[in-house]
Amino acid sequence: MAVIILLSAFIIAIVALVFFIVAMLRGWFDPDSKGAEVIFAPNEIGRPEDPAASPEARRALEHDAGAEGAHTPDANELAARAAADRSSNTITFVFMCCAIVWLLAASFAGLTASIKLHEPDWLGAYEWLTFGRIRTLHLNALAYGFLPMAGLGLAVWLLPRLLKTTLVGGNFALLGAILWNAGLIAGLGAIGAGFSDGMEWLEMPWQVDILLVVGGAFVAIPLVLTLRQRKVEHLYVSVWYMGAALFWFPILFFVGNIPGVHFGVQQAAMNWWYGHNVLGLFYTPLALATIYYFLPKVMGTPVKSYALSILGFWTLAFFYGQVGAHHLIGSPVPSWLITLSIVQSMMMVIPVFAFAVNQFYTMRGKNRMLIHSPTLRFLAFGGLMYVASSVQGSFEALRAVNTIAHFTHYTVGHAHLGLYGFVAMAFFGGMYFVMPRVMQREWPYPKLILVHFWLSVLGIGIYFVSLTFGGWFQGLAMLDAARPFMDSVTLTLPYLKARSIGGGMMTLAHVIFAAHFLAMVLRLGPTRDTPALFYGPKGERA
């Protein structure tokens, strides 16, 4: 009976998906196909957005965008957009400052944990610096510190722009940020002192988690209040992604942390239901919302297919919910649950390819803009890594691949490609766009943005490649009955050292980013009245 129900549900889902694809292609849901243009003011399409730039400084980007001779955007709508930005500036600034602090904390904790994998006695005299604790501190500082603060800060700033109104209920978001950070500080302190719930991604004691649930709910309140005051008929796809993320996270986090409910095998199933869904239904929507707004905005051109962007949203929402169970292959859970997870993992190629096709055709013929725009580089790279990590994850769910990759460093490399290469890089791009608008001052040292980008790209590249190969060889060694287990440990040492080199490069990139952020906030360095471009109008360095 369970097999019949599962098969029926799958068939119904496929039929519904085919109908949805046909409906989108035929424009049944959006007959005029104007949804992609709502983020632009009249006459603004074709113009890259750099509000603080002089005409001369913007010429390089405008040339690549084909904007010479374009009409002047509507002045009233630009003024309304500026008012919307001002309404969220203070709250966004608080979120961004918190994000920078947690980024540094997570980076140094992660680098320490990485070094201890091949130098286990390093800093071994301190209990809170043992691998079991420092690695957990790194995960939680990143997963509940930097990424949510950056993602939610961008969401708070984007909402008024997308809804073409001022932010309503911003103090709720500020209160939510305070509660969230208070809970995170208490949770990290508990982990450092040796108190943990013992489940990956859910290590913080449940008493502390209450603060994060309440804080996340408070941050979502401005979404509802501002939606009621919106001045647009059509909700852009980024609003759907942000709204879904703010709705899903408190539910996921609450269910995952209910005490005294999940035990044994059921607890393991719930653990990976949460662990995967927090990535796919919280971080991923926020990152995709960031890319879908800033990438076309920087380029001055709408996304190529708005129907594909909506298809990507709904298929992500439909297929992602059960993919986490593929981490339990070989465990004593029902085989149908594992099979369902594998099928849904493979079906995730639909939203991923929808995004990939959209990004490719939106940027087609305009790749030279990557030379000039720091924001666009981070966003484009993040989008590329979304495709790479998602396709890798889909195939990693297959039993034949999972048999080798499971319980190895391969999985760690994959996780970092998605969470850092995709999500963090997208947020970096968004922060580089937003902060000059918040501070009313351009980034003082454009070359530091270039250094940040390449250190991050090379760092995650070395990190991912070393763990992918090292983890695969580790898995093969563990499956070879003729080899002792210690062979699978010792052969990974060169790859673990390479991992630390990559991690060190990313940490250095974050220190440079934080220093540049601080220089902007304190108004140190050169005063720039032009955007932070890598190159000037005639090709000279800015």
Side-chain angles (χ1 to χ4, degrees):
M1 180 61 68
V3 174
I4 295 175
I5 294 174
L6 179 62
L7 182 61
S8 300
F10 180 73
I11 293 174
I12 293 172
I14 294 300
V15 172
L17 180 62
V18 171
F19 172 80
F20 185 80
I21 293 174
V22 173
M24 296 304 299
L25 291 176
R26 292 180 179 271
W28 294 344
F29 296 159
D30 189 12
D32 57 6
S33 300
K34 295 294 184 181
E37 300 178 8
V38 299
I39 63 174
F40 296 97
N43 297 326
E44 191 180 18
I45 293 177
R47 286 183 173 274
E49 183 183 345
D50 283 307
S54 65
E56 293 77 14
R58 294 175 57 184
R59 193 171 300 157
L61 274 176
E62 291 182 348
H63 172 75
D64 292 333
E68 290 95 337
H71 297 291
T72 302
D74 183 82
N76 292 330
E77 186 154 338
L78 293 182
R81 181 186 299 166
D85 290 349
R86 288 193 297 271
S87 71
S88 61
N89 279 350
T90 300
I91 300 163
T92 302
F93 176 73
V94 172
F95 275 94
M96 294 305 172
C97 289
C98 294
I100 292 294
V101 172
W102 291 122
L103 175 65
L104 293 178
S107 300
F108 285 110
L111 182 60
T112 302
S114 179
I115 294 174
K116 290 178 78 68
L117 284 173
H118 52 84
E119 299 291 340
D121 294 330
W122 185 56
L123 301 177
Y126 305 94
E127 291 183 356
W128 70 279
L129 290 176
T130 55
F131 179 81
R133 297 189 191 180
I134 195 66
R135 189 264 177 189
T136 307
L137 289 171
H138 159 67
L139 172 62
N140 283 267
L142 180 70
Y144 302 116
F146 167 66
L147 294 178
M149 289 296 103
L152 294 175
L154 291 172
V156 168
W157 189 83
L158 281 174
L159 270 175
R161 273 198 166 210
L162 291 167
L163 302 178
K164 298 187 178 181
T165 185
T166 55
L167 184 69
V168 181
N171 289 335
F172 287 109
L174 190 59
L175 176 60
I178 294 171
L179 292 174
W180 185 297
N181 282 281
L184 182 56
I185 292 171
L188 295 181
I191 292 172
F195 299 96
S196 171
D197 284 350
M199 294 181 291
E200 191 166 8
W201 292 89
L202 294 168
E203 293 92 349
M204 290 188 292
W206 68 265
Q207 296 90 341
V208 169
D209 294 331
I210 295 174
L211 290 174
L212 273 73
V213 173
V214 176
F218 272 118
V219 174
I221 290 177
L223 169 66
V224 178
L225 298 179
T226 307
L227 273 171
R228 294 179 60 186
Q229 192 173 296
R230 72 182 189 272
K231 298 178 182 178
V232 293
E233 292 292 331
H234 181 86
L235 296 180
Y236 187 65
V237 65
S238 292
V239 178
W240 287 89
Y241 275 116
M242 291 186 295
L246 293 171
F247 172 76
W248 283 327
F249 177 79
I251 297 175
L252 292 170
F253 199 70
F254 176 74
V255 172
N257 284 284
I258 298 176
V261 174
H262 310 290
F263 300 97
V265 174
Q266 183 193 70
Q267 185 184 66
M270 182 282 302
N271 190 182
W272 282 111
W273 169 83
Y274 171 81
H276 239 290
N277 282 345
V278 74
L279 172 62
L281 300 180
F282 181 54
Y283 303 125
T284 294
L286 289 176
L288 290 177
T290 299
I291 294 175
Y292 266 120
Y293 179 81
F294 289 115
L295 188 140
K297 200 67 175 171
V298 171
M299 299 183 67
T301 181
V303 293
K304 184 65 176 180
S305 172
Y306 192 69
L308 279 178
S309 68
I310 298 297
L311 172 66
F313 170 80
W314 285 109
T315 50
L316 173 73
F318 183 83
F319 289 123
Y320 207 97
Q322 298 299 328
V323 302
H326 70 245
H327 283 271
L328 301 172
I329 294 177
S331 63
V333 298
S335 60
W336 66 263
L337 179 63
I338 301 296
T339 301
L340 173 63
S341 175
I342 294 172
V343 170
Q344 291 202 301
S345 296
M346 293 304 299
M347 295 300 288
M348 275 299 297
V349 300
I350 296 175
V352 171
F353 284 149
F355 172 83
V357 170
N358 229 355
Q359 176 169 312
F360 174 79
Y361 281 102
T362 301
M363 297 190 65
R364 189 178 184 182
K366 298 184 178 181
N367 290 329
R368 279 190 55 83
M369 296 183 73
L370 293 168
I371 297 174
H372 309 296
S373 172
T375 298
L376 195 59
R377 283 194 180 186
F378 281 96
L379 296 173
F381 182 82
L384 183 63
M385 292 304 101
Y386 171 57
V387 177
S389 62
S390 297
V391 172
Q392 182 196 26
S394 293
F395 283 93
E396 191 178 347
L398 298 175
R399 286 183 172 89
V401 178
N402 197 276
T403 299
I404 300 174
H406 203 35
F407 300 122
T408 70
H409 295 294
Y410 183 99
T411 304
V412 179
H414 164 67
H416 280 75
L417 187 67
L419 207 56
Y420 186 86
F422 162 46
V423 178
M425 292 294 277
F427 289 167
F428 286 145
M431 293 172 76
Y432 275 121
F433 185 102
V434 166
M435 281 306 297
R437 282 70 183 169
V438 171
M439 298 302 302
Q440 297 297 305
R441 183 175 189 263
E442 290 295 332
W443 293 95
Y445 302 104
K447 291 182 180 179
L448 291 184
I449 306 177
L450 190 64
V451 174
H452 175 197
F453 175 79
W454 284 113
L455 281 175
S456 295
V457 168
L458 294 176
I460 189 60
I462 294 172
Y463 191 104
F464 172 73
V465 171
S466 61
L467 290 189
T468 298
F469 282 97
W472 192 260
F473 296 147
Q474 179 189 15
L476 293 174
M478 287 195 293
L479 292 173
D480 188 348
R483 300 179 67 177
F485 174 75
M486 284 305 297
D487 280 3
S488 69
V489 176
T490 55
L491 69 83
T492 63
L493 289 177
Y495 302 99
L496 294 177
K497 292 177 181 178
R499 163 186 170 153
S500 293
I501 293 174
M505 295 176 71
M506 288 186 282
T507 300
L508 179 59
H510 302 158
V511 171
I512 292 172
F513 179 43
H516 200 188
F517 182 93
L518 186 63
M520 168 184 269
V521 170
L522 297 180
R523 302 191 177 276
L524 303 176
T527 299
R528 299 173 50 83
D529 58 359
T530 58
L533 306 180
F534 290 142
Y535 294 86
K538 298 181 181 180
E540 69 272 11
R541 290 190 178 274

